[in-house]
Structure formats: C-alpha cells, structure tokens
C-alpha cells in the first residue's frame, strides 16, 4: 500500500476489508441451491447474447472477450475497488505529488489514506447489497477476477442480490433471472459493438477528474458549503441548489458541464437496456409484465428513510431518473425512425444525444437524421 512519496491517497486494501466486514449477509440458501442459481445465471447470460443481438441489430463477435462472472457481495466489492483504483489513478497521482511536497504530507497522507479507505468501504458496503448486475467498462484483470483483453470489460451478476429481490417481489425465479441478464447483456453488447464508446467515456471521466481541485483546503471548503446547503444552512435567497445531490454540489462549473454530457450518455445506455429488456421480454420471459410492474413499484417506493436519505446524498435518485428518461428517449426515437434509425446514435460521439435531447427526442431526430439526409 505504498507508492512514491509515501502511502497512497486511498488505502484500497482497507476499503475492501471494511466493506467486506460491514456488508449485510445475503439470503439463506443451501449449497446445492447456490450452485443451481450460479449455473442458471450463466446459462441465461449466454442465451441473452443472441436475444439482444437479434433485437438490437447490433451484431458483434467480440462479447467472448468480456467474461461473465457470477459473484457474491464481497466479490462485487473487490471488482469495483479494482475499477475505482484504475480510473482514479491519474487524479490520485496528481494529489499525491502535491501532498508529498507539503510539510508533514507523508504523515497526513498515511492517516488520510486510511480514513478514505474506511469511508469508501462503508459506501461500497451500502451499495453491495443493492446491485443486481453490472457491466464493468473499466475492469483491470486480477488473479480472481478476469477481464477482457485489450481493455474490454467484464459482466458481473450478483447472485445473492438477485435471489433476494426475486423473493422480495415474489416473482418466478427463472423468469426474473433471465430478465436481469437481458438488461446486463445489453450493456455488454453496447460496448462490444461500439468500439469507440469506452474510450469516449474514459476521456469524459478523465476530463471531469482533471477539473478537480487538488488543494485539500479547497476541497474541504467546498464540502463544508455543500453540507451546509443540504442541511438548510444557507439563506433562502442562495438556495439555487435545490434537488441536487451532495456529489453534484461539490463540483466546479466545468465539471457540471462535463457531467451533463456524461448524464446524457448514461441515460441513453440505461434507457436502451430497459427498452431492450422489455422488447425481448415478452418473447422469452412469460411473466415479464408482472416482473416489470413489481420492479417499478420497488424502484419508486425505495426503502427506509435512511435508505432514501443515502440515495439522495449519493446521487442515486439521479440514476433512477436515467432509467426513466433514457427509456422514454429510446422508445420515442424507435417509434419515429425504427431500430435502424435509432442505431445511428452509435455512429460517433457527435451523434450521441445531449442532455436536452434526452428530454426532447424530436430534436435529436431533427439534428442527426436531417444532417445525414442533407
């Protein structure tokens, strides 16, 4: 856990240990039942490839380069820590360089790295019991977690969470597991069939991180102001941040501009996955209507007051809006110009919808289709 100039900015091993210790245990299942769930999820993931390709017309032979891993909650934590470590490395190296040149930087860094590791672990322990599946776009291979070659990602299916939700919703397990796999397989197809998409996203994320203030006092001051705003400590005349999460409040203006573009892309990807999941569903998932209705109700009502507060603080409510707004965009475009017309969205970064176009699909159609036809 050391690097040039002292301890790393984040104690990643401590983050994993903290999350693993704090994460709630999964549902009770026998060993035989657990094996059966894992085997069925693998079969469904494989079957979903052909279903998604046929429906989206995004044929690709590259999905074999992105492995499908069925993991438990600690496995999901380890995978995400590896991803965070890779994507945040340029920013943390910059902060490390500045800290090493300041008086007492090494000592403060050792303490700060452990504090940050614990905080990250607490966050991951909260999320680890909620994620059903995830396509890891930035997934460095580890000994226990293989990843695709040449920067390809990996698909994670979190078995205990899938079992927990299917029991909570009281839906047919076979159908629910396939339904989840259809959504996640769509994400794998998106990145496999659109080679430039990963690099584009990474570039946007690195631009976002590059705008981060690396001066600790500046960061602390922005966090303090954000916390006061969320707690209602600012005068009413200054409350122009209503509805934004803590994550949004600590951003610079340049970062908010980049975030707008990232939000549009993520809305597209999530909405497209929901659209595909529902489009394929009636053909292969007999109880898809029941599953969708119950799942939407679960999304809408949330859980405890603490859960709702944490979701707001972390910006997870925005994630739910991405599903809804993105699905509306995809459905509206598909209804107007068909699947081939919609698939123009994958032509280049210039044909991705803006945040405004996600809300007004007709504007995207006018911009992309009229330009192509002129």
């Amino acid at each position: 856990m050391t690097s040039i100039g002292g301890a790393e900015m984040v104690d990643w091993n401590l983050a994993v240990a903290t999350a693993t210790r704090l994460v709630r245990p999964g549902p009770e299942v026998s060993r035989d039942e657990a094996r059966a769930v894992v085997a069925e999820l693998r079969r469904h993931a494989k079957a979903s490839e052909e279903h998604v390709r046929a429906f989206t017309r995004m044929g690709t032979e590259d999905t074999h380069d992105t492995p499908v891993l069925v993991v438990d909650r600690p496995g999901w934590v380890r995978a995400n820590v590896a991803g965070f470590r890779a994507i945040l490395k340029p920013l943390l190296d910059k902060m490390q360089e500045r800290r090493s040149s300041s008086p007492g930087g090494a000592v403060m860094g050792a303490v700060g790295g452990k504090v940050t590791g614990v905080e990250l672990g607490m966050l991951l322990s909260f999320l680890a019991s909620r994620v059903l599946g995830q396509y890891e776009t930035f997934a460095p291979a580890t000994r226990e977690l293989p990843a695709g070659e040449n920067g390809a990602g990996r698909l994670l299916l979190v078995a205990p969470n899938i079992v927990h939700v299917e029991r909570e919703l009281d839906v047919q397990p076979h159908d629910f597991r396939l339904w989840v796999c259809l959504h996640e397989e769509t994400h794998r197809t998106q990145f496999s069939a659109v080679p430039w998409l990963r690099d584009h996203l990474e570039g946007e994320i690195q631009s976002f991180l590059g705008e981060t203030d690396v001066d600790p006092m500046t960061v602390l001051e922005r966090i303090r102001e954000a916390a006061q705003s969320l707690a209602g400590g600012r005068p009413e005349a200054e409350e122009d941040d209503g509805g934004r999460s803590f994550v949004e409040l600590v951003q610079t203006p340049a970062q908010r501009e980049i975030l707008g573009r990232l939000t549009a892309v993520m809305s597209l990807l999530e909405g497209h996955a929901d659209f595909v999941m529902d489009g394929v569903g009636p053909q292969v998932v007999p109880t898809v209507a029941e599953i969708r209705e119950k799942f939407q109700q679960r999304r809408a009502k949330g859980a405890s007051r603490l859960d709702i507060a944490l979701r707001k603080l972390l910006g997870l409510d925005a994630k739910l809006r991405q599903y809804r707004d993105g699905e509306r965009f995809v459905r509206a475009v598909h209804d107007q110009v068909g699947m081939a017309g919609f698939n123009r969205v994958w032509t280049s970064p210039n044909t991705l919808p803006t945040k405004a176009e996600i809300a007004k699909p007709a504007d995207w159609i006018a911009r992309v289709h009229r330009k192509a036809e002129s």
Side-chain angles (χ1 to χ4, degrees):
M1 294 305 302
T2 59
S3 64
I4 298 174
E8 283 194 275
M9 298 295 295
V10 179
D11 189 330
W12 300 105
N13 290 341
L14 183 58
V16 171
T18 301
T20 302
R21 184 175 67 253
L22 295 179
V23 70
R24 292 183 294 182
E28 292 186 10
V29 295
S30 67
R31 181 171 298 180
D32 288 343
E33 185 179 4
R35 288 173 178 165
V37 170
V38 170
E40 184 173 28
L41 286 172
R42 285 176 176 155
R43 290 196 303 272
H44 285 332
K46 181 64 178 176
S48 295
E49 289 185 39
E50 196 60 39
H51 295 315
V52 170
R53 288 186 195 180
F55 183 80
T56 63
R57 304 177 194 172
M58 297 173 68
T60 173
E61 299 301 323
D62 295 333
T63 54
H64 66 277
D65 287 336
T66 55
V68 177
L69 306 180
V70 181
V71 298
D72 58 10
R73 291 169 178 175
W76 180 87
V77 168
R78 288 192 294 272
N80 276 267
V81 165
F84 282 145
R85 190 171 189 171
I87 200 69
L88 292 175
K89 187 177 187 306
L91 171 64
L92 296 182
D93 284 350
K94 184 167 65 172
M95 297 180 72
Q96 176 85 11
E97 182 179 353
R98 174 169 293 195
R99 187 191 65 194
S100 62
S101 63
S102 63
V107 175
M108 291 298 293
V111 175
K114 293 190 179 300
V115 170
T116 308
V118 170
E119 291 172 341
L120 177 59
M122 293 173 65
L123 168 62
L124 290 171
S125 72
F126 170 76
L127 296 174
S129 61
R130 286 157 174 78
V131 177
L132 301 181
Q134 174 185 356
Y135 181 79
E136 276 201 292
T137 313
F138 312 105
T142 67
R143 184 169 55 186
E144 40 183 18
L145 293 165
E149 299 177 358
N150 301 318
R154 58 182 166 231
L155 182 60
L156 304 179
L157 297 169
V158 191
N161 295 350
I162 293 172
V163 172
H164 171 78
V165 174
E166 71 191 24
R167 290 179 179 179
E168 179 185 355
L169 298 181
D170 190 25
V171 293
Q172 213 285 331
H174 171 87
D175 288 2
F176 184 74
R177 294 166 193 175
L178 177 55
W179 189 71
V180 171
C181 287
L182 289 170
H183 182 101
E184 303 307 332
E185 177 58 37
T186 302
H187 288 317
R188 187 163 71 142
T189 296
Q190 290 163 347
F191 285 92
S192 298
V194 186
W196 55 263
L197 184 56
R198 180 189 184 277
D199 289 342
H200 173 71
L201 269 181
E202 184 174 18
E204 290 282 59
I205 291 170
Q206 292 304 332
S207 295
F208 181 90
L209 296 175
E211 291 292 333
T212 301
D213 289 309
V214 295
D215 177 60
M217 293 306 296
T218 302
V219 174
L220 288 174
E221 178 64 18
R222 185 170 293 125
I223 291 174
R224 184 186 65 81
E225 292 176 356
Q228 288 181 350
S229 176
L230 287 171
R234 293 172 59 181
E236 285 187 20
E238 299 180 25
E239 288 181 354
D240 55 359
D241 295 314
R244 292 216 300 266
S245 70
F246 175 83
V247 175
E248 292 171 297
L249 288 169
V250 297
Q251 292 160 7
T252 66
Q255 284 177 315
R256 290 187 186 126
E257 182 178 340
I258 298 169
L259 183 68
R261 297 195 298 268
L262 281 170
T263 298
V265 176
M266 297 311 298
S267 295
L268 170 69
L269 299 179
E270 296 295 356
H272 183 235
D274 266 11
F275 176 77
V276 172
M277 185 168 58
D278 287 346
V280 175
Q283 306 168 35
V284 297
V285 183
T287 60
V288 66
E290 177 191 359
I291 290 173
R292 166 57 79 185
E293 181 181 2
K294 290 183 174 181
F295 198 76
Q296 290 288 61
Q297 290 174 355
R298 182 179 184 271
R299 272 183 182 172
K301 73 179 183 180
S304 66
R305 292 177 63 183
L306 175 61
D307 187 66
I308 293 171
L310 285 169
R311 279 171 33 180
K312 174 61 181 174
L313 182 68
L314 299 172
L316 299 183
D317 283 347
K319 176 77 168 178
L320 299 181
R321 290 195 297 273
Q322 287 173 9
Y323 286 103
R324 182 192 64 215
D325 298 344
E327 197 274 341
R328 288 176 181 169
F329 170 84
V330 175
R331 187 171 300 279
V333 171
H334 179 268
D335 289 347
Q336 288 292 315
V337 297
M339 188 62 77
F342 166 77
N343 280 342
R344 289 190 185 180
V345 78
W346 311 117
T347 304
S348 75
N350 292 330
T351 57
L352 291 172
T354 65
K355 190 175 180 180
E357 288 170 341
I358 288 288
K360 295 182 178 180
D363 290 353
W364 179 86
I365 294 173
R367 176 173 67 87
V368 173
H369 282 262
R370 288 178 185 171
K371 182 177 180 180
E373 293 164 2
S374 60

